[in-house]
Amino acid sequence: MRVADLTTPALLVEAGALEANLADMAAVLPGPRLRPHVKAHKTTALAARQLAHGHQGFTCATVREVEGMAAAGLGADLLLANEVLDARRLGAVVDSGARVTLAIDSEATLRAAVDGGIREVLVDVNIGLPRCGIAPDRAGALADAARAAGLRVRGVMGYEGHLQMLADQAERARLTTECTDRLLAAHADVGGEVISGGGTGTHTMNTACTEIQAGSYALMDTAYTAAGLTFRQSLTVLSTVVSATPPAGDMPGWAVADAGLKAFGMDHGNPTVPGADVWFCSDEHLTFTATPLPRPGDRIRIVPAHVDPTVALHERMHVVDGDGPDAEVLDSWPVDLRGW
Ligand code: PLP
Ligand code: MN
């Protein structure tokens, strides 16, 4: 099968770029220093490639991701780096033999962990992003309560998500150190062997963490490239040009591709068509201008601005060999961790 045989829009991952990203990251953060976040790709076949590069523990964002990873035989050490108020499905995963560690940030999430049959937790600490996480000075008391309730406290986690794409890298590093210091202060009260944090944008900066939760590095997107990250953009959406209007008078020509809002996560802006100027996306269309203007039937690879929500819109990820229009489709991976 060739790329030309695929129905568009279709999610493509270029095999060489993906493998280079996995190898580059494993060289910087080998083995247990990286706990890859699977929410970025939601694909157990891709997680298996990360395992092959030496990472046995994984980060998940949803109960569904934990279940799917365990069912795929990738459950040696799963961290659900998120709060849940009903952990019964996670307890069932533990009973099936997988190792599941759950983040808690309150008495309510602690109670849910106990009631659901979870045995191990991390205390999730608010280190600056107004999302989940307990205040650093209250983390020790929550850890004490967890131990009193019979849970094993493996340590702490914190996520400086607001810093990941800060354009000024020196400033990003400085602020990341401030956030990590908050995490270390909490860890002094909590104890345990795990200090988990970070993402693709700060993976070289939170050096005090025992493990980094980066996910986007494998597939990459234009937002992270704009922030100075040098991993390759291995993920694209293959699209067919369905209409083209030549220039007339003052009006430049434009072309329309068959992938729009329903094929791209748009919260980080428009996707990018290499060598072209994107005007706008609508439900099923992307309108752009380019010189020369493509013709109906031409196929283009469009680069998403934000990888995670883009992947979650697609059922499959086609692994392709190279960038050409005639590239071979090597494999087709189901995006099997989608949904809830
Ligand atoms: N950890 C948590 C808790 C996250 O929510 C995220 C992404 O949002 C990450 C880590 C890192 O992801 P990325 O590599 O995409 O920056
Ligand atoms: Mn993201």
Side-chain angles (χ1 to χ4, degrees):
M1 170 115 119
R2 301 267 156 194
V3 163
D5 301 320
L6 293 172
T7 300
T8 58
L11 201 58
L12 306 185
V13 58
E14 202 286 307
L18 171 67
E19 284 297 320
N21 288 344
L22 300 185
D24 288 353
M25 182 59 104
V28 179
L29 296 173
R33 291 278 293 124
L34 184 76
R35 184 185 282 282
H37 208 319
V38 302
K39 81 181 171 70
H41 53 69
K42 286 187 174 284
T43 300
T44 55
L46 203 163
R49 293 302 313 142
Q50 292 172 311
L51 180 74
H53 282 266
H55 317 295
Q56 302 206 354
F58 289 92
T59 311
C60 300
T62 65
V63 172
R64 168 86 198 102
E65 289 173 3
V66 173
E67 287 176 334
M69 288 291 286
L74 298 164
D77 186 3
L78 301 172
L79 166 63
L80 180 49
N82 203 354
E83 275 58 26
V84 299
L85 273 302
D86 180 351
R88 286 174 296 179
R89 278 165 55 190
L90 295 174
V93 177
V94 173
D95 292 342
S96 77
R99 183 177 190 185
V100 178
T101 302
L102 179 58
I104 59 168
D105 72 351
S106 66
E107 190 64 42
T109 46
L110 190 176
R111 198 43 51 204
V114 172
D115 292 347
I118 288 289
R119 295 170 201 154
E120 300 182 285
V121 293
L122 286 187
V123 175
D124 188 1
V125 182
N126 176 3
I127 58 173
L129 170 71
R131 207 171 67 177
C132 298
I134 193 166
D137 61 354
R138 292 173 51 216
L142 186 62
D144 292 343
R147 291 194 180 97
L151 296 170
R152 199 171 97 74
V153 179
R154 292 183 71 187
V156 293
M157 68 155 275
Y159 179 56
E160 67 285 4
H162 56 306
L163 304 181
Q164 295 297 327
M165 292 187 179
L166 209 61
D168 182 336
Q169 293 186 41
E171 185 67 353
R172 198 191 312 155
R174 189 182 70 75
L175 293 171
T176 297
T177 303
E178 276 186 20
C179 290
T180 310
D181 286 347
R182 292 181 196 125
L183 192 57
L184 293 177
H187 180 253
D189 296 337
V190 169
E193 69 282 9
V194 176
I195 305 172
S196 191
T200 298
T202 61
H203 76 279
T204 57
M205 298 170 181
N206 0 32
T207 46
C209 289
T210 61
E211 57 177 48
I212 301 296
Q213 302 177 358
S216 298
Y217 77 96
L219 298 176
M220 283 292 284
D221 51 41
T222 59
Y224 256 135
T225 298
L229 275 294
T230 54
F231 296 104
R232 296 156 185 77
Q233 291 170 338
S234 64
L235 188 82
T236 55
V237 174
L238 180 72
S239 181
T240 305
V241 173
V242 292
S243 179
T245 300
D250 291 345
M251 191 65 183
W254 69 89
V256 181
D258 67 351
L261 298 172
K262 295 174 184 172
F264 296 101
M266 295 289 293
D267 63 314
H268 288 165
N270 283 330
T272 299
V273 179
D277 183 18
V278 172
W279 285 358
F280 62 92
C281 276
S282 33
D283 283 351
E284 305 283 2
H285 302 107
L286 180 140
T287 299
F288 64 100
T289 186
T291 311
L293 211 55
R295 285 178 305 201
D298 286 355
R299 289 185 156 211
I300 54 175
R301 295 193 193 183
I302 307 175
V303 191
H306 191 183
V307 63
D308 320 47
T310 298
V311 169
L313 293 168
H314 294 261
E315 289 171 5
R316 311 191 75 77
M317 190 182 287
H318 303 281
V319 185
V320 302
D321 182 18
D323 298 321
D326 206 29
E328 191 181 349
V329 179
L330 303 170
D331 213 339
S332 176
W333 292 340
V335 184
D336 51 349
L337 302 175
R338 297 167 78 213
W340 291 269

